[in-house]
Coordinates of all heavy atoms in Angstrom, one line a residue:
M18 N 0.8 -1.2 0.0 CA 0.0 0.0 0.0 C 0.8 1.3 0.0 O 0.3 2.3 -0.1 CB -0.9 0.0 1.2 CG -2.0 -1.0 1.2 SD -3.4 -0.3 0.4 CE -4.7 -1.1 1.2
A19 N 2.1 1.1 0.1 CA 3.0 2.3 0.2 C 2.9 3.2 -1.1 O 3.0 4.4 -1.0 CB 4.4 1.9 0.4
G20 N 2.8 2.5 -2.3 CA 2.8 3.3 -3.5 C 1.5 3.6 -4.1 O 1.3 3.9 -5.3
K21 N 0.4 3.5 -3.3 CA -0.9 3.6 -3.8 C -1.2 5.1 -4.2 O -0.9 6.0 -3.4 CB -2.0 3.2 -2.8 CG -3.4 3.2 -3.3 CD -4.3 2.6 -2.2 CE -5.7 2.6 -2.8 NZ -6.7 2.0 -1.8
A22 N -1.7 5.3 -5.4 CA -2.0 6.7 -5.9 C -3.3 7.2 -5.2 O -4.2 6.5 -5.0 CB -2.2 6.7 -7.4
K23 N -3.3 8.5 -5.0 CA -4.4 9.2 -4.4 C -5.4 9.5 -5.5 O -5.1 9.9 -6.6 CB -4.0 10.5 -3.7 CG -4.9 11.0 -2.7 CD -4.3 12.2 -2.0 CE -5.2 12.6 -0.9 NZ -4.6 13.7 -0.1
F24 N -6.7 9.3 -5.2 CA -7.8 9.6 -6.2 C -7.9 11.1 -6.4 O -8.1 11.8 -5.5 CB -9.1 9.0 -5.7 CG -10.3 9.2 -6.7 CD1 -10.3 8.6 -7.9 CD2 -11.2 10.2 -6.3 CE1 -11.4 8.9 -8.7 CE2 -12.3 10.4 -7.2 CZ -12.4 9.8 -8.4
D25 N -7.8 11.5 -7.7 CA -8.0 12.9 -8.0 C -9.4 13.1 -8.6 O -9.6 12.8 -9.8 CB -6.9 13.3 -9.0 CG -6.9 14.8 -9.3 OD1 -7.8 15.5 -8.8 OD2 -6.1 15.2 -10.1
Q26 N -10.3 13.6 -7.8 CA -11.7 13.8 -8.2 C -11.8 14.8 -9.4 O -12.6 14.5 -10.3 CB -12.5 14.2 -7.0 CG -14.0 14.3 -7.3 CD -14.8 14.7 -6.1 OE1 -14.3 15.0 -5.0 NE2 -16.1 14.7 -6.2
E27 N -11.1 15.8 -9.3 CA -11.1 16.8 -10.4 C -10.7 16.2 -11.7 O -11.3 16.5 -12.8 CB -10.2 18.0 -10.0 CG -10.2 19.2 -11.0 CD -11.5 20.0 -10.9 OE1 -12.2 20.0 -9.9 OE2 -11.8 20.7 -11.9
A28 N -9.6 15.5 -11.7 CA -9.1 14.9 -13.0 C -10.1 13.8 -13.5 O -10.3 13.7 -14.7 CB -7.8 14.2 -12.7
A29 N -10.7 13.1 -12.6 CA -11.7 12.1 -13.0 C -12.9 12.8 -13.6 O -13.5 12.4 -14.7 CB -12.2 11.3 -11.8
F30 N -13.4 13.9 -13.0 CA -14.5 14.7 -13.6 C -14.2 15.2 -15.0 O -15.0 15.1 -15.9 CB -14.8 15.8 -12.6 CG -15.9 16.7 -13.1 CD1 -17.2 16.4 -13.0 CD2 -15.6 18.0 -13.6 CE1 -18.2 17.2 -13.4 CE2 -16.6 18.8 -14.1 CZ -17.9 18.5 -14.0
K31 N -13.0 15.8 -15.1 CA -12.6 16.3 -16.4 C -12.5 15.2 -17.5 O -12.8 15.5 -18.7 CB -11.3 17.1 -16.3 CG -11.5 18.4 -15.6 CD -10.3 19.2 -15.5 CE -10.5 20.6 -14.9 NZ -9.3 21.4 -14.7
S32 N -12.1 14.1 -17.1 CA -11.9 13.0 -18.1 C -13.3 12.5 -18.5 O -13.5 12.0 -19.7 CB -11.1 11.8 -17.5 OG -11.8 11.1 -16.6
I33 N -14.3 12.6 -17.7 CA -15.7 12.2 -18.0 C -16.4 13.2 -18.9 O -16.9 12.9 -20.0 CB -16.5 11.9 -16.8 CG1 -15.9 10.7 -16.0 CG2 -18.0 11.7 -17.1 CD1 -16.5 10.5 -14.6
I34 N -16.3 14.5 -18.5 CA -17.1 15.5 -19.3 C -16.2 16.2 -20.3 O -16.8 16.9 -21.1 CB -17.8 16.5 -18.4 CG1 -16.7 17.4 -17.6 CG2 -18.7 15.9 -17.4 CD1 -17.3 18.6 -17.1
G35 N -14.9 16.1 -20.2 CA -14.1 16.8 -21.1 C -13.5 18.0 -20.5 O -14.1 18.7 -19.7
T36 N -12.3 18.4 -20.9 CA -11.6 19.5 -20.4 C -12.3 20.8 -20.9 O -12.6 20.9 -22.1 CB -10.1 19.5 -20.8 OG1 -9.6 18.3 -20.5 CG2 -9.3 20.6 -20.2
G37 N -12.4 21.8 -20.1 CA -12.9 23.1 -20.5 C -14.4 23.2 -20.3 O -15.0 24.2 -20.5
R38 N -15.1 22.1 -20.0 CA -16.6 22.2 -19.7 C -16.8 22.4 -18.2 O -16.0 22.1 -17.4 CB -17.2 20.9 -20.1 CG -17.2 20.7 -21.6 CD -18.0 19.6 -22.1 NE -19.4 19.6 -21.6 CZ -20.2 18.6 -21.7 NH1 -19.8 17.5 -22.3 NH2 -21.4 18.6 -21.2
E39 N -17.9 23.0 -17.9 CA -18.3 23.3 -16.6 C -19.3 22.2 -16.0 O -20.0 21.7 -16.8 CB -19.0 24.6 -16.5 CG -18.1 25.8 -16.8 CD -18.8 27.1 -16.8 OE1 -20.1 27.1 -16.7 OE2 -18.2 28.1 -16.8
S40 N -19.3 22.1 -14.7 CA -20.3 21.2 -14.2 C -21.7 21.9 -14.2 O -21.7 23.1 -14.4 CB -20.0 20.9 -12.7 OG -20.1 22.0 -11.9
E41 N -22.8 21.2 -14.0 CA -24.1 21.8 -13.9 C -24.2 22.9 -12.9 O -24.8 23.9 -13.0 CB -25.2 20.8 -13.7 CG -25.4 19.9 -14.9 CD -26.6 18.9 -14.7 OE1 -27.5 19.3 -13.9 OE2 -26.5 17.9 -15.3
H42 N -23.5 22.6 -11.7 CA -23.6 23.5 -10.6 C -22.9 24.9 -11.0 O -23.4 25.9 -10.6 CB -22.9 22.9 -9.4 CG -22.9 23.8 -8.2 ND1 -21.9 24.7 -7.9 CD2 -23.9 24.0 -7.2 CE1 -22.2 25.3 -6.8 NE2 -23.4 24.9 -6.4
E43 N -21.8 24.8 -11.7 CA -21.1 26.0 -12.1 C -21.8 26.8 -13.1 O -21.7 28.0 -13.2 CB -19.7 25.7 -12.5 CG -18.8 25.2 -11.4 CD -17.5 24.6 -11.9 OE1 -17.4 24.3 -13.2 OE2 -16.6 24.4 -11.2
S44 N -22.5 26.1 -14.0 CA -23.2 26.8 -15.1 C -24.7 26.9 -14.9 O -25.5 27.0 -15.9 CB -22.9 26.0 -16.4 OG -23.5 24.8 -16.3
Q45 N -25.2 27.0 -13.7 CA -26.6 27.0 -13.4 C -27.3 28.2 -13.9 O -28.4 28.1 -14.4 CB -26.8 26.9 -11.9 CG -28.2 26.7 -11.4 CD -28.2 26.5 -9.9 OE1 -27.3 26.8 -9.2 NE2 -29.3 25.9 -9.5
D46 N -26.7 29.3 -14.0 CA -27.4 30.6 -14.5 C -27.0 30.9 -15.9 O -27.1 32.1 -16.3 CB -27.1 31.7 -13.5 CG -27.8 31.6 -12.2 OD1 -28.8 30.9 -12.1 OD2 -27.3 32.2 -11.2
T47 N -26.4 30.0 -16.6 CA -26.0 30.2 -18.0 C -27.3 30.3 -18.9 O -28.1 29.5 -18.8 CB -25.1 29.1 -18.5 OG1 -24.0 29.0 -17.6 CG2 -24.6 29.4 -19.9
P48 N -27.4 31.4 -19.7 CA -28.5 31.5 -20.6 C -28.6 30.3 -21.6 O -27.5 29.8 -22.0 CB -28.3 32.8 -21.3 CG -27.1 33.4 -20.8 CD -26.5 32.5 -19.8
V49 N -29.8 29.9 -22.0 CA -29.9 28.9 -23.0 C -29.8 29.6 -24.3 O -30.6 30.5 -24.7 CB -31.3 28.3 -22.9 CG1 -31.6 27.3 -24.0 CG2 -31.5 27.6 -21.5
V50 N -28.8 29.3 -25.1 CA -28.5 29.9 -26.4 C -28.9 29.0 -27.5 O -28.2 28.0 -27.8 CB -27.1 30.4 -26.5 CG1 -26.8 31.1 -27.8 CG2 -26.7 31.3 -25.4
K51 N -30.0 29.3 -28.3 CA -30.4 28.6 -29.4 C -31.0 29.5 -30.4 O -32.2 29.8 -30.4 CB -31.4 27.5 -29.1 CG -30.8 26.4 -28.2 CD -31.8 25.3 -28.0 CE -31.2 24.2 -27.1 NZ -32.2 23.2 -26.7
G52 N -30.2 30.2 -31.2 CA -30.7 31.1 -32.2 C -31.5 32.2 -31.6 O -31.0 33.1 -31.0
K53 N -32.8 32.3 -31.9 CA -33.6 33.4 -31.4 C -33.9 33.4 -29.9 O -34.4 34.3 -29.4 CB -35.0 33.4 -32.1 CG -35.9 32.2 -31.8 CD -37.2 32.3 -32.5 CE -38.1 31.1 -32.0 NZ -39.4 31.2 -32.6
N54 N -33.5 32.3 -29.2 CA -33.7 32.2 -27.8 C -32.6 32.7 -26.9 O -32.4 32.3 -25.8 CB -34.1 30.8 -27.4 CG -35.4 30.3 -28.1 OD1 -36.2 31.1 -28.4 ND2 -35.5 29.0 -28.3
K55 N -31.7 33.5 -27.5 CA -30.5 33.9 -26.7 C -30.8 34.7 -25.5 O -30.0 34.9 -24.6 CB -29.5 34.7 -27.6 CG -30.1 36.0 -28.2 CD -29.1 36.6 -29.1 CE -29.7 37.9 -29.6 NZ -28.8 38.6 -30.5
D56 N -32.0 35.3 -25.4 CA -32.4 36.1 -24.2 C -33.1 35.3 -23.2 O -33.7 35.9 -22.3 CB -33.2 37.3 -24.6 CG -32.4 38.3 -25.4 OD1 -31.2 38.4 -25.2 OD2 -33.0 39.0 -26.3
R57 N -33.2 34.0 -23.3 CA -33.9 33.1 -22.4 C -33.0 32.4 -21.4 O -31.8 32.1 -21.8 CB -34.7 32.1 -23.2 CG -35.9 32.7 -23.9 CD -36.8 31.6 -24.4 NE -38.0 32.2 -24.9 CZ -38.9 31.5 -25.6 NH1 -38.7 30.2 -25.8 NH2 -40.0 32.1 -26.0
V58 N -33.5 32.1 -20.3 CA -32.7 31.3 -19.3 C -33.6 30.2 -18.9 O -34.9 30.3 -18.9 CB -32.3 32.1 -18.1 CG1 -31.2 33.2 -18.4 CG2 -33.4 32.8 -17.4
Q59 N -33.1 29.1 -18.5 CA -33.8 27.9 -18.1 C -33.9 27.9 -16.5 O -32.9 28.0 -15.9 CB -33.2 26.7 -18.6 CG -34.0 25.4 -18.3 CD -33.4 24.2 -18.9 OE1 -32.4 24.3 -19.6 NE2 -34.0 23.1 -18.7
R60 N -35.1 27.8 -16.0 CA -35.3 27.8 -14.6 C -36.2 26.6 -14.2 O -36.9 26.1 -15.1 CB -35.9 29.1 -14.1 CG -35.1 30.3 -14.2 CD -33.9 30.2 -13.2 NE -33.2 31.5 -13.3 CZ -32.0 31.5 -13.9 NH1 -31.5 30.5 -14.5 NH2 -31.3 32.7 -13.9
S61 N -36.3 26.2 -13.0 CA -37.1 25.2 -12.5 C -37.9 25.6 -11.3 O -37.3 26.1 -10.4 CB -36.3 23.9 -12.2 OG -37.1 22.9 -11.7
Y62 N -39.2 25.5 -11.3 CA -40.0 25.9 -10.2 C -41.1 24.8 -9.9 O -41.4 24.1 -10.8 CB -40.8 27.2 -10.6 CG -39.9 28.4 -10.9 CD1 -39.6 28.7 -12.2 CD2 -39.3 29.1 -9.8 CE1 -38.7 29.8 -12.4 CE2 -38.4 30.2 -10.1 CZ -38.1 30.5 -11.4 OH -37.3 31.5 -11.7
F63 N -41.5 24.8 -8.7 CA -42.6 23.9 -8.3 C -43.9 24.6 -8.4 O -44.1 25.7 -7.9 CB -42.4 23.3 -6.9 CG -41.2 22.5 -6.8 CD1 -39.9 23.0 -6.3 CD2 -41.2 21.1 -7.1 CE1 -38.8 22.1 -6.2 CE2 -40.1 20.3 -7.0 CZ -38.9 20.8 -6.5
L64 N -44.9 24.0 -9.1 CA -46.2 24.5 -9.3 C -47.2 23.6 -8.6 O -47.0 22.4 -8.5 CB -46.6 24.7 -10.7 CG -45.6 25.5 -11.6 CD1 -46.0 25.4 -13.1 CD2 -45.7 27.0 -11.1
D65 N -48.3 24.2 -8.1 CA -49.4 23.4 -7.6 C -50.0 22.6 -8.8 O -50.0 23.1 -10.0 CB -50.5 24.3 -7.0 CG -50.0 24.9 -5.7 OD1 -49.0 24.5 -5.1 OD2 -50.6 26.0 -5.4
R66 N -50.4 21.4 -8.6 CA -50.9 20.5 -9.6 C -52.1 21.2 -10.4 O -52.1 21.1 -11.6 CB -51.4 19.2 -9.0 CG -51.6 18.1 -10.0 CD -51.8 16.8 -9.4 NE -50.8 16.4 -8.5 CZ -49.6 15.8 -8.8 NH1 -49.4 15.5 -10.1 NH2 -48.8 15.4 -7.9
D67 N -53.0 21.9 -9.7 CA -54.1 22.5 -10.5 C -53.6 23.6 -11.4 O -54.2 23.8 -12.5 CB -55.2 23.0 -9.5 CG -54.7 24.0 -8.5 OD1 -53.4 24.1 -8.2 OD2 -55.5 24.8 -8.0
I68 N -52.6 24.3 -11.0 CA -52.0 25.4 -11.9 C -51.4 24.7 -13.1 O -51.5 25.2 -14.2 CB -51.0 26.3 -11.1 CG1 -51.8 27.1 -10.0 CG2 -50.2 27.2 -12.0 CD1 -50.9 27.8 -9.1
D69 N -50.6 23.7 -12.9 CA -50.0 23.0 -14.0 C -51.0 22.5 -15.0 O -50.8 22.7 -16.2 CB -49.2 21.8 -13.5 CG -48.5 21.0 -14.6 OD1 -47.7 21.6 -15.3 OD2 -48.7 19.8 -14.7
K70 N -52.1 21.9 -14.5 CA -53.1 21.4 -15.4 C -53.8 22.6 -16.2 O -54.0 22.5 -17.4 CB -54.2 20.6 -14.6 CG -53.8 19.3 -14.2 CD -54.9 18.6 -13.5 CE -54.5 17.2 -13.0 NZ -55.5 16.5 -12.3
A71 N -54.0 23.7 -15.5 CA -54.6 24.8 -16.2 C -53.7 25.4 -17.2 O -54.1 25.8 -18.3 CB -55.0 25.9 -15.1
L72 N -52.4 25.4 -16.9 CA -51.4 25.9 -17.9 C -51.4 25.1 -19.2 O -51.4 25.6 -20.3 CB -50.0 26.0 -17.3 CG -49.8 27.2 -16.3 CD1 -48.5 26.9 -15.5 CD2 -49.8 28.5 -17.0
R73 N -51.4 23.8 -18.9 CA -51.4 22.8 -20.1 C -52.7 22.9 -20.9 O -52.6 22.9 -22.2 CB -51.2 21.4 -19.6 CG -49.8 21.2 -19.0 CD -49.6 19.8 -18.5 NE -48.3 19.7 -17.9 CZ -47.1 19.5 -18.6 NH1 -47.2 19.3 -19.9 NH2 -46.0 19.4 -18.0
R74 N -53.8 23.1 -20.3 CA -55.1 23.3 -21.0 C -55.0 24.6 -21.8 O -55.5 24.6 -22.9 CB -56.3 23.3 -20.0 CG -56.8 21.9 -19.7 CD -58.2 22.0 -19.1 NE -58.3 22.9 -18.0 CZ -58.2 22.5 -16.7 NH1 -58.0 21.3 -16.4 NH2 -58.2 23.4 -15.8
M75 N -54.6 25.6 -21.2 CA -54.5 26.9 -21.8 C -53.6 26.8 -23.1 O -53.9 27.4 -24.1 CB -54.0 28.0 -20.9 CG -54.0 29.4 -21.5 SD -53.5 30.5 -20.2 CE -53.8 32.1 -21.0
A76 N -52.4 26.2 -22.9 CA -51.5 26.0 -24.0 C -52.2 25.3 -25.2 O -52.0 25.6 -26.4 CB -50.2 25.3 -23.6
L77 N -52.9 24.2 -24.9 CA -53.6 23.5 -25.9 C -54.7 24.3 -26.6 O -54.8 24.3 -27.8 CB -54.2 22.2 -25.4 CG -53.3 21.1 -25.0 CD1 -54.0 20.0 -24.3 CD2 -52.7 20.5 -26.3
D78 N -55.5 25.0 -25.8 CA -56.5 25.9 -26.3 C -56.0 27.0 -27.2 O -56.6 27.4 -28.2 CB -57.4 26.5 -25.2 CG -58.2 25.5 -24.5 OD1 -58.4 24.4 -25.0 OD2 -58.7 25.8 -23.4
T79 N -54.9 27.6 -26.8 CA -54.3 28.7 -27.6 C -53.4 28.3 -28.7 O -52.8 29.1 -29.4 CB -53.6 29.7 -26.7 OG1 -52.6 29.0 -26.0 CG2 -54.6 30.3 -25.7
E80 N -53.1 27.0 -28.8 CA -52.2 26.3 -29.7 C -50.8 26.9 -29.6 O -50.2 27.2 -30.6 CB -52.8 26.4 -31.1 CG -54.1 25.7 -31.3 CD -54.6 25.8 -32.7 OE1 -54.1 26.5 -33.6 OE2 -55.6 25.1 -33.0
K81 N -50.4 27.2 -28.4 CA -49.0 27.6 -28.2 C -48.3 26.6 -27.3 O -49.0 25.8 -26.7 CB -49.0 29.0 -27.4 CG -49.6 30.1 -28.1 CD -49.5 31.4 -27.3 CE -50.0 32.6 -28.0 NZ -50.0 33.8 -27.2
N82 N -47.0 26.6 -27.3 CA -46.3 25.7 -26.4 C -46.3 26.2 -25.0 O -46.7 27.4 -24.7 CB -44.9 25.4 -26.9 CG -43.9 26.6 -26.8 OD1 -44.0 27.4 -25.9 ND2 -43.0 26.7 -27.8
L83 N -46.0 25.4 -24.1 CA -46.1 25.7 -22.6 C -45.2 26.9 -22.3 O -45.6 27.8 -21.5 CB -45.7 24.5 -21.8 CG -46.2 24.5 -20.4 CD1 -47.7 24.8 -20.3 CD2 -45.9 23.1 -19.7
T84 N -44.0 27.0 -22.9 CA -43.1 28.1 -22.6 C -43.7 29.4 -23.0 O -43.7 30.4 -22.3 CB -41.8 27.9 -23.3 OG1 -41.2 26.7 -22.8 CG2 -40.8 29.1 -23.0
E85 N -44.3 29.5 -24.2 CA -44.9 30.7 -24.7 C -46.1 31.1 -23.8 O -46.3 32.3 -23.5 CB -45.4 30.5 -26.2 CG -44.3 30.4 -27.2 CD -44.7 30.0 -28.5 OE1 -45.8 29.4 -28.6 OE2 -44.0 30.3 -29.5
T86 N -46.9 30.1 -23.5 CA -48.1 30.4 -22.6 C -47.7 31.0 -21.3 O -48.2 32.0 -20.8 CB -48.9 29.1 -22.4 OG1 -49.2 28.5 -23.7 CG2 -50.1 29.3 -21.6
I87 N -46.7 30.4 -20.6 CA -46.2 30.9 -19.3 C -45.6 32.2 -19.5 O -45.9 33.1 -18.6 CB -45.3 29.8 -18.7 CG1 -46.0 28.6 -18.3 CG2 -44.6 30.4 -17.5 CD1 -45.2 27.4 -17.9
N88 N -44.8 32.5 -20.5 CA -44.3 33.8 -20.7 C -45.3 34.9 -20.9 O -45.2 36.0 -20.4 CB -43.3 33.8 -21.9 CG -41.9 33.3 -21.5 OD1 -41.5 33.5 -20.4 ND2 -41.2 32.7 -22.4
D89 N -46.4 34.5 -21.7 CA -47.5 35.5 -21.9 C -48.2 35.8 -20.6 O -48.4 37.0 -20.3 CB -48.5 34.9 -22.9 CG -48.0 34.8 -24.3 OD1 -47.0 35.4 -24.6 OD2 -48.7 34.2 -25.1
I90 N -48.5 34.8 -19.8 CA -49.1 35.0 -18.5 C -48.2 35.9 -17.5 O -48.7 36.8 -16.9 CB -49.5 33.7 -17.8 CG1 -50.6 33.0 -18.6 CG2 -49.9 33.9 -16.4 CD1 -50.8 31.5 -18.2
L91 N -47.0 35.5 -17.5 CA -46.1 36.3 -16.6 C -45.9 37.7 -17.1 O -45.8 38.6 -16.2 CB -44.7 35.6 -16.5 CG -44.7 34.2 -15.7 CD1 -43.4 33.5 -15.8 CD2 -45.1 34.5 -14.3
R92 N -45.8 37.9 -18.4 CA -45.7 39.3 -18.9 C -46.9 40.2 -18.5 O -46.7 41.3 -18.1 CB -45.5 39.3 -20.4 CG -44.1 38.9 -20.8 CD -43.9 39.1 -22.3 NE -42.6 38.6 -22.7 CZ -41.4 39.1 -22.4 NH1 -41.4 40.2 -21.7 NH2 -40.3 38.6 -22.7
K93 N -48.1 39.6 -18.6 CA -49.3 40.3 -18.2 C -49.3 40.6 -16.7 O -49.6 41.7 -16.3 CB -50.5 39.5 -18.6 CG -50.8 39.5 -20.0 CD -52.0 38.6 -20.3 CE -52.2 38.4 -21.8 NZ -53.2 37.4 -22.2
G94 N -48.9 39.6 -15.9 CA -48.9 39.8 -14.5 C -47.8 40.7 -14.0 O -47.9 41.3 -12.9
L95 N -46.7 40.7 -14.7 CA -45.6 41.5 -14.3 C -45.4 42.8 -15.0 O -44.3 43.4 -15.0 CB -44.3 40.7 -14.4 CG -44.2 39.4 -13.5 CD1 -43.0 38.6 -14.0 CD2 -44.1 39.8 -12.1
S96 N -46.4 43.2 -15.7 CA -46.3 44.4 -16.6 C -45.8 45.6 -15.9 O -45.0 46.4 -16.5 CB -47.7 44.7 -17.2 OG -48.6 45.0 -16.3
D97 N -46.2 45.8 -14.6 CA -45.6 47.0 -13.9 C -44.1 46.9 -13.6 O -43.5 47.9 -13.5 CB -46.4 47.2 -12.6 CG -47.8 47.6 -12.8 OD1 -48.2 48.1 -13.9 OD2 -48.6 47.4 -11.8
Y98 N -43.6 45.7 -13.5 CA -42.2 45.5 -13.2 C -41.4 45.4 -14.4 O -40.2 45.5 -14.3 CB -42.1 44.2 -12.3 CG -42.8 44.3 -11.0 CD1 -44.1 43.8 -10.8 CD2 -42.2 44.9 -9.9 CE1 -44.7 43.9 -9.6 CE2 -42.8 45.1 -8.7 CZ -44.1 44.5 -8.5 OH -44.7 44.7 -7.3
L99 N -42.0 45.1 -15.6 CA -41.2 45.0 -16.8 C -40.9 46.3 -17.5 O -40.2 46.4 -18.4 CB -41.9 44.0 -17.8 CG -41.9 42.6 -17.4 CD1 -42.9 41.8 -18.3 CD2 -40.5 42.0 -17.4
K100 N -41.6 47.4 -17.0 CA -41.4 48.7 -17.7 C -39.9 49.1 -17.4 O -39.4 49.0 -16.3 CB -42.4 49.7 -17.1 CG -43.8 49.4 -17.5 CD -44.7 50.4 -16.9 CE -46.2 50.0 -17.2 NZ -47.1 50.8 -16.5
H101 N -39.3 49.7 -18.4 CA -37.9 50.1 -18.3 C -37.8 51.5 -17.8 O -38.0 52.5 -18.0 CB -37.2 49.9 -19.6 CG -37.2 48.5 -20.0 ND1 -36.8 47.4 -19.2 CD2 -37.5 47.9 -21.2 CE1 -36.8 46.3 -19.9 NE2 -37.3 46.6 -21.1

């Protein structure tokens, strides 16, 4: 056991994900960049089940995706705070 190498967690991590990449923890607030969506960020929130169902129904009724539906609702509700 005298010559046993010490485990290098950082080196193991870099060999798995590649050098120069960040862990999820380090890049948590990185904007999602995909063409026209460069001004968007990805977040995760807990919603009450009834609100989630209502949002999904509204998205189907308006023929929009869930992200667009939620953004529309939040823009209306936050109109006073979105003014520059």
